[in-house]
Amino acid sequence: MTGNSQATIATADEAGIARAAAVLLAGGLVAVPTETVYGLAARADSDAAVAAIYRAKGRPDFNPLIVHVIDLAQADELALFDERALRLAAEFWPGALTLVLPRRTGAGLAAAVTAGLETVALRCPAHGAMRAVLAAAGLPLAAPSANRSGGVSPTSAAHVVASLGPKVDLVLDGGTCEAGIESTIVALRPGGGWQILRPGPITGAQLSAILGGSSDVTASGIEAPGQLASHYAPGKPVRLNAPEAAADEFHIGFGPVAGNVTLSASGDLAEAAARLYSVLHEGASAEQPRIAVAPIPQDGIGAAINDRLKRAAA
Protein backbone atom coordinates (compact mmCIF):
# COMPACT_ATOMS: atom_id res chain seq x y z
CA MET A 1 0.00 0.00 0.00
CA THR A 2 2.15 2.90 1.31
CA GLY A 3 1.10 5.35 -1.37
CA ASN A 4 0.93 8.44 0.83
CA SER A 5 3.50 11.23 0.58
CA GLN A 6 3.69 11.35 4.37
CA ALA A 7 2.79 9.10 7.28
CA THR A 8 -0.87 8.96 8.32
CA ILE A 9 -1.41 9.10 12.10
CA ALA A 10 -4.51 7.86 13.92
CA THR A 11 -5.30 7.97 17.63
CA ALA A 12 -5.41 4.56 19.31
CA ASP A 13 -9.13 4.82 20.04
CA GLU A 14 -11.94 2.55 18.82
CA ALA A 15 -12.00 4.14 15.37
CA GLY A 16 -8.22 4.06 15.06
CA ILE A 17 -8.08 0.39 16.09
CA ALA A 18 -10.71 -0.51 13.48
CA ARG A 19 -8.82 1.43 10.82
CA ALA A 20 -5.56 -0.28 11.75
CA ALA A 21 -7.15 -3.73 11.54
CA ALA A 22 -8.58 -2.94 8.11
CA VAL A 23 -5.17 -1.83 6.82
CA LEU A 24 -3.53 -4.98 8.19
CA LEU A 25 -6.14 -7.32 6.73
CA ALA A 26 -5.61 -5.65 3.36
CA GLY A 27 -1.89 -6.45 3.56
CA GLY A 28 -0.66 -3.01 4.71
CA LEU A 29 1.78 -1.90 7.40
CA VAL A 30 0.72 -0.31 10.68
CA ALA A 31 3.01 1.04 13.41
CA VAL A 32 1.47 -0.01 16.72
CA PRO A 33 2.53 0.87 20.28
CA THR A 34 3.47 -1.92 22.66
CA GLU A 35 4.70 -1.78 26.24
CA THR A 36 8.28 -2.10 24.93
CA VAL A 37 8.64 -0.07 21.69
CA TYR A 38 6.46 0.71 18.64
CA GLY A 39 6.20 -2.29 16.31
CA LEU A 40 5.82 -2.28 12.53
CA ALA A 41 2.99 -4.76 12.15
CA ALA A 42 1.87 -6.83 9.19
CA ARG A 43 -0.19 -10.00 8.93
CA ALA A 44 2.20 -12.87 9.62
CA ASP A 45 0.54 -15.26 7.15
CA SER A 46 1.18 -13.14 4.05
CA ASP A 47 4.44 -13.32 2.10
CA ALA A 48 3.71 -9.97 0.44
CA ALA A 49 2.85 -8.19 3.71
CA VAL A 50 5.95 -9.52 5.47
CA ALA A 51 8.11 -8.58 2.48
CA ALA A 52 6.78 -5.03 2.87
CA ILE A 53 8.20 -4.97 6.43
CA TYR A 54 11.65 -5.89 5.14
CA ARG A 55 11.45 -3.25 2.39
CA ALA A 56 10.29 -0.51 4.75
CA LYS A 57 12.97 -1.24 7.33
CA GLY A 58 15.77 -2.05 4.90
CA ARG A 59 16.13 -5.13 7.10
CA PRO A 60 18.52 -8.02 6.33
CA ASP A 61 16.52 -11.04 5.24
CA PHE A 62 18.44 -13.36 7.59
CA ASN A 63 17.04 -11.50 10.61
CA PRO A 64 13.81 -13.20 11.77
CA LEU A 65 10.72 -11.40 13.04
CA ILE A 66 8.73 -11.69 16.26
CA VAL A 67 5.15 -12.88 15.82
CA HIS A 68 2.68 -11.24 18.20
CA VAL A 69 -0.30 -13.30 19.38
CA ILE A 70 -3.41 -12.49 21.40
CA ASP A 71 -3.14 -15.46 23.77
CA LEU A 72 -1.56 -18.85 24.42
CA ALA A 73 -4.16 -20.67 22.33
CA GLN A 74 -3.19 -18.69 19.23
CA ALA A 75 0.51 -19.19 20.01
CA ASP A 76 0.00 -22.96 20.36
CA GLU A 77 -1.21 -23.08 16.74
CA LEU A 78 2.20 -21.77 15.61
CA ALA A 79 4.76 -23.46 17.89
CA LEU A 80 5.36 -26.50 20.08
CA PHE A 81 5.09 -25.64 23.78
CA ASP A 82 6.78 -27.92 26.27
CA GLU A 83 6.22 -27.75 30.02
CA ARG A 84 8.93 -25.08 30.43
CA ALA A 85 7.38 -22.85 27.77
CA LEU A 86 3.97 -23.19 29.39
CA ARG A 87 5.41 -22.12 32.77
CA LEU A 88 7.06 -19.07 31.22
CA ALA A 89 3.88 -18.10 29.37
CA ALA A 90 1.83 -18.48 32.56
CA GLU A 91 4.26 -16.24 34.48
CA PHE A 92 5.15 -13.54 31.95
CA TRP A 93 2.39 -13.38 29.29
CA PRO A 94 0.95 -10.97 28.44
CA GLY A 95 4.24 -9.11 28.78
CA ALA A 96 7.73 -8.34 27.56
CA LEU A 97 8.98 -11.90 27.02
CA THR A 98 9.54 -13.49 23.60
CA LEU A 99 9.85 -17.27 23.39
CA VAL A 100 11.85 -18.94 20.61
CA LEU A 101 10.23 -22.35 20.12
CA PRO A 102 10.06 -25.12 17.50
CA ARG A 103 7.72 -24.04 14.72
CA ARG A 104 4.69 -26.27 14.14
CA THR A 105 4.43 -28.00 10.79
CA GLY A 106 1.77 -26.19 8.80
CA ALA A 107 1.84 -23.15 11.07
CA GLY A 108 0.72 -20.95 8.15
CA LEU A 109 3.40 -18.31 8.59
CA ALA A 110 5.10 -16.48 5.75
CA ALA A 111 8.50 -18.06 5.13
CA ALA A 112 10.34 -14.78 5.70
CA VAL A 113 9.00 -14.51 9.26
CA THR A 114 11.33 -17.27 10.46
CA ALA A 115 14.16 -16.44 8.02
CA GLY A 116 14.48 -20.12 7.09
CA LEU A 117 14.79 -21.36 10.68
CA GLU A 118 12.87 -24.26 12.21
CA THR A 119 11.96 -22.05 15.16
CA VAL A 120 9.60 -19.13 15.59
CA ALA A 121 9.79 -16.17 18.00
CA LEU A 122 6.46 -15.53 19.75
CA ARG A 123 5.26 -12.81 22.12
CA CYS A 124 1.91 -12.07 23.73
CA PRO A 125 2.01 -8.29 24.34
CA ALA A 126 0.36 -6.50 27.27
CA HIS A 127 -0.25 -3.05 25.73
CA GLY A 128 -3.94 -2.30 25.34
CA ALA A 129 -3.64 -0.85 21.83
CA MET A 130 -1.64 -3.77 20.45
CA ARG A 131 -4.00 -6.27 22.07
CA ALA A 132 -6.99 -4.45 20.61
CA VAL A 133 -5.43 -4.52 17.13
CA LEU A 134 -4.65 -8.24 17.46
CA ALA A 135 -8.24 -8.92 18.52
CA ALA A 136 -9.73 -6.80 15.75
CA ALA A 137 -7.49 -8.31 13.06
CA GLY A 138 -8.08 -11.83 14.33
CA LEU A 139 -4.70 -13.16 13.25
CA PRO A 140 -1.06 -13.18 14.39
CA LEU A 141 1.01 -10.14 13.47
CA ALA A 142 4.70 -9.98 12.64
CA ALA A 143 6.01 -6.79 14.21
CA PRO A 144 9.66 -5.77 14.51
CA SER A 145 10.49 -2.30 15.83
CA ALA A 146 9.02 0.45 13.65
CA ASN A 147 12.24 2.09 12.46
CA ARG A 148 14.88 1.71 9.78
CA SER A 149 16.95 -1.42 10.38
CA GLY A 150 19.90 -0.85 12.69
CA GLY A 151 18.66 2.54 13.88
CA VAL A 152 17.38 3.70 17.24
CA SER A 153 14.10 2.01 18.16
CA PRO A 154 10.96 4.19 18.43
CA THR A 155 9.18 4.81 21.71
CA SER A 156 6.76 7.41 20.35
CA ALA A 157 4.69 7.96 17.20
CA ALA A 158 6.96 10.90 16.32
CA HIS A 159 9.98 8.59 16.29
CA VAL A 160 8.20 6.29 13.84
CA VAL A 161 7.28 9.13 11.50
CA ALA A 162 10.83 10.52 11.58
CA SER A 163 12.33 7.12 10.73
CA LEU A 164 9.85 5.57 8.29
CA GLY A 165 7.61 8.40 7.06
CA PRO A 166 5.45 7.28 4.12
CA LYS A 167 6.89 3.75 4.17
CA VAL A 168 4.20 2.86 6.72
CA ASP A 169 0.51 3.02 5.85
CA LEU A 170 -0.72 4.05 9.30
CA VAL A 171 0.85 5.07 12.61
CA LEU A 172 -1.38 4.29 15.58
CA ASP A 173 -0.51 6.87 18.25
CA GLY A 174 -0.80 5.42 21.72
CA GLY A 175 1.60 7.75 23.51
CA THR A 176 5.04 6.90 24.88
CA CYS A 177 5.99 3.26 25.47
CA GLU A 178 6.31 2.33 29.14
CA ALA A 179 9.24 -0.13 29.20
CA GLY A 180 11.21 1.61 26.47
CA ILE A 181 13.41 -1.31 25.41
CA GLU A 182 12.55 -4.42 23.43
CA SER A 183 11.36 -7.66 24.98
CA THR A 184 13.65 -10.25 26.49
CA ILE A 185 14.11 -13.15 24.07
CA VAL A 186 14.76 -16.63 25.48
CA ALA A 187 15.33 -19.83 23.49
CA LEU A 188 14.44 -23.15 25.09
CA ARG A 189 16.95 -25.83 24.07
CA PRO A 190 16.36 -29.59 23.79
CA GLY A 191 17.42 -31.38 26.94
CA GLY A 192 16.39 -28.62 29.32
CA GLY A 193 18.90 -25.90 28.47
CA TRP A 194 17.93 -22.32 27.74
CA GLN A 195 19.62 -19.21 26.46
CA ILE A 196 18.90 -15.50 26.53
CA LEU A 197 19.24 -14.30 22.93
CA ARG A 198 18.42 -10.69 23.77
CA PRO A 199 18.27 -9.21 27.28
CA GLY A 200 15.28 -7.03 28.10
CA PRO A 201 12.78 -6.07 30.80
CA ILE A 202 12.46 -9.67 32.04
CA THR A 203 15.80 -10.38 33.70
CA GLY A 204 17.93 -13.51 33.76
CA ALA A 205 17.23 -13.86 37.48
CA GLN A 206 13.48 -13.89 36.84
CA LEU A 207 13.90 -16.56 34.17
CA SER A 208 16.21 -18.63 36.39
CA ALA A 209 13.54 -18.60 39.09
CA ILE A 210 11.19 -20.38 36.67
CA LEU A 211 13.60 -22.51 34.64
CA GLY A 212 16.47 -23.15 37.04
CA GLY A 213 20.13 -22.76 36.13
CA SER A 214 21.48 -19.72 34.35
CA SER A 215 22.02 -18.39 30.85
CA ASP A 216 24.58 -16.20 29.16
CA VAL A 217 23.72 -13.86 26.29
CA THR A 218 24.77 -15.73 23.18
CA ALA A 219 26.95 -14.34 20.42
CA SER A 220 26.28 -17.24 18.03
CA GLY A 221 24.28 -17.22 14.79
CA ILE A 222 21.25 -14.99 14.29
CA GLU A 223 18.24 -16.75 15.84
CA ALA A 224 16.16 -13.75 16.83
CA PRO A 225 15.87 -9.97 16.39
CA GLY A 226 18.38 -7.68 18.07
CA GLN A 227 21.41 -9.98 17.73
CA LEU A 228 23.24 -8.03 15.03
CA ALA A 229 26.54 -6.66 16.33
CA SER A 230 25.68 -3.15 15.12
CA HIS A 231 22.13 -2.17 16.02
CA TYR A 232 20.16 0.67 17.64
CA ALA A 233 22.67 3.11 16.09
CA PRO A 234 22.05 6.88 16.31
CA GLY A 235 24.18 7.68 13.25
CA LYS A 236 27.07 9.15 15.26
CA PRO A 237 30.05 7.63 17.07
CA VAL A 238 29.07 6.54 20.57
CA ARG A 239 31.56 6.27 23.47
CA LEU A 240 30.49 4.25 26.51
CA ASN A 241 31.40 4.34 30.21
CA ALA A 242 32.18 8.06 29.99
CA PRO A 243 31.87 9.91 33.32
CA GLU A 244 32.95 13.07 31.48
CA ALA A 245 32.45 14.25 27.90
CA ALA A 246 34.71 16.00 25.44
CA ALA A 247 33.70 19.34 23.96
CA ASP A 248 32.45 17.70 20.76
CA GLU A 249 30.34 15.06 22.56
CA PHE A 250 26.68 15.11 23.53
CA HIS A 251 26.76 13.62 27.02
CA ILE A 252 24.07 11.20 28.20
CA GLY A 253 24.18 11.08 31.98
CA PHE A 254 23.03 8.64 34.65
CA GLY A 255 22.78 9.02 38.41
CA PRO A 256 25.39 11.50 39.70
CA VAL A 257 26.64 12.18 36.14
CA ALA A 258 24.27 14.91 34.90
CA GLY A 259 25.27 15.11 31.22
CA ASN A 260 23.46 17.22 28.65
CA VAL A 261 20.48 14.97 29.32
CA THR A 262 20.09 12.15 31.82
CA LEU A 263 18.69 8.64 31.61
CA SER A 264 17.78 8.89 35.29
CA ALA A 265 19.02 11.50 37.74
CA SER A 266 18.10 9.20 40.63
CA GLY A 267 19.93 6.21 39.17
CA ASP A 268 16.68 4.27 38.55
CA LEU A 269 17.43 1.58 35.94
CA ALA A 270 13.76 1.13 34.99
CA GLU A 271 13.50 4.85 34.27
CA ALA A 272 16.77 4.65 32.31
CA ALA A 273 15.43 1.82 30.17
CA ALA A 274 12.22 3.72 29.46
CA ARG A 275 14.20 6.81 28.41
CA LEU A 276 17.06 5.11 26.56
CA TYR A 277 15.87 5.42 22.97
CA SER A 278 14.38 8.86 23.54
CA VAL A 279 17.73 10.27 24.68
CA LEU A 280 19.57 8.48 21.86
CA HIS A 281 17.19 10.18 19.41
CA GLU A 282 17.98 13.48 21.16
CA GLY A 283 21.69 12.80 20.83
CA ALA A 284 21.28 11.96 17.16
CA SER A 285 19.74 15.38 16.48
CA ALA A 286 22.12 17.35 18.74
CA GLU A 287 24.72 19.70 17.26
CA GLN A 288 27.63 17.73 18.71
CA PRO A 289 29.07 15.19 16.20
CA ARG A 290 29.68 12.52 18.84
CA ILE A 291 27.82 10.95 21.79
CA ALA A 292 29.22 9.89 25.16
CA VAL A 293 27.28 7.84 27.71
CA ALA A 294 27.89 7.70 31.45
CA PRO A 295 28.58 4.32 33.08
CA ILE A 296 25.45 2.20 33.61
CA PRO A 297 25.41 -0.58 36.25
CA GLN A 298 25.13 -4.11 34.89
CA ASP A 299 22.63 -5.19 37.56
CA GLY A 300 19.15 -6.41 36.58
CA ILE A 301 17.72 -4.50 33.63
CA GLY A 302 21.04 -2.66 33.40
CA ALA A 303 22.30 -5.68 31.43
CA ALA A 304 19.69 -4.98 28.75
CA ILE A 305 20.52 -1.26 28.68
CA ASN A 306 24.24 -1.99 28.29
CA ASP A 307 23.50 -4.55 25.57
CA ARG A 308 21.66 -1.91 23.53
CA LEU A 309 24.38 0.68 24.15
CA LYS A 310 27.15 -1.72 23.13
CA ARG A 311 25.40 -2.42 19.83
CA ALA A 312 24.69 1.30 19.31
CA ALA A 313 28.43 1.94 19.70
CA ALA A 314 29.53 -0.91 17.41
Side-chain angles (χ1 to χ4, degrees):
M1 297 172 69
T2 60
N4 297 328
S5 59
Q6 58 185 6
T8 300
I9 301 176
T11 303
D13 55 15
E14 185 176 351
I17 297 296
R19 185 176 179 184
V23 171
L24 290 164
L25 290 171
L29 301 180
V30 179
V32 186
T34 78
E35 67 273 29
T36 57
V37 300
Y38 273 69
L40 183 60
R43 53 186 304 161
D45 62 348
S46 166
D47 289 328
V50 171
I53 291 178
Y54 282 91
R55 283 197 303 273
K57 286 180 64 69
R59 187 182 182 92
D61 62 7
F62 56 79
N63 203 2
L65 305 175
I66 293 174
V67 177
H68 293 67
V69 294
I70 188 67
D71 54 23
L72 179 60
Q74 191 174 66
D76 191 57
E77 297 175 355
L78 306 176
L80 300 173
F81 279 73
D82 63 12
E83 189 265 342
R84 298 171 300 160
L86 291 173
R87 292 205 311 269
L88 288 174
E91 181 70 20
F92 298 114
W93 278 8
L97 181 67
T98 295
L99 299 176
V100 175
L101 302 171
R103 176 171 45 84
R104 277 195 185 277
T105 302
L109 295 170
V113 166
T114 57
L117 301 175
E118 296 301 315
T119 54
V120 60
L122 297 176
R123 182 161 94 88
C124 177
H127 194 285
M130 183 55 142
R131 294 189 62 77
V133 170
L134 282 163
L139 44 77
L141 300 174
S145 57
N147 59 285
R148 291 287 294 173
S149 184
V152 181
S153 298
T155 55
S156 71
H159 293 161
V160 177
V161 172
S163 184
L164 295 179
K167 294 181 183 295
V168 58
D169 295 300
L170 182 68
V171 178
L172 199 61
D173 189 351
T176 302
C177 300
E178 180 180 355
I181 57 173
E182 296 86 353
S183 63
T184 302
I185 302 179
V186 61
L188 301 181
R189 306 301 192 194
W194 57 279
Q195 209 162 26
I196 294 177
L197 302 182
R198 181 179 71 189
I202 308 299
T203 67
Q206 289 175 284
L207 295 171
S208 292
I210 302 295
L211 298 173
S214 61
S215 168
D216 293 323
V217 177
T218 180
S220 60
I222 303 298
E223 297 181 71
Q227 288 188 282
L228 296 177
S230 177
H231 205 40
Y232 317 111
K236 295 179 178 180
V238 177
R239 183 168 65 92
L240 306 181
N241 299 309
E244 297 180 350
D248 66 343
E249 290 179 323
F250 178 86
H251 199 195
I252 296 174
F254 178 80
V257 179
N260 297 103
V261 63
T262 184
L263 288 166
S264 172
S266 65
D268 184 319
L269 288 171
E271 180 185 14
R275 286 178 48 75
L276 177 61
Y277 294 135
S278 178
V279 299
L280 283 175
H281 279 287
E282 193 170 339
S285 60
E287 62 181 0
Q288 295 92 332
R290 306 169 66 85
I291 296 172
V293 186
I296 307 295
Q298 189 70 9
D299 303 333
I301 199 173
I305 297 170
N306 282 311
D307 171 76
R308 304 309 195 275
L309 287 171
K310 179 182 69 174
R311 295 174 194 275

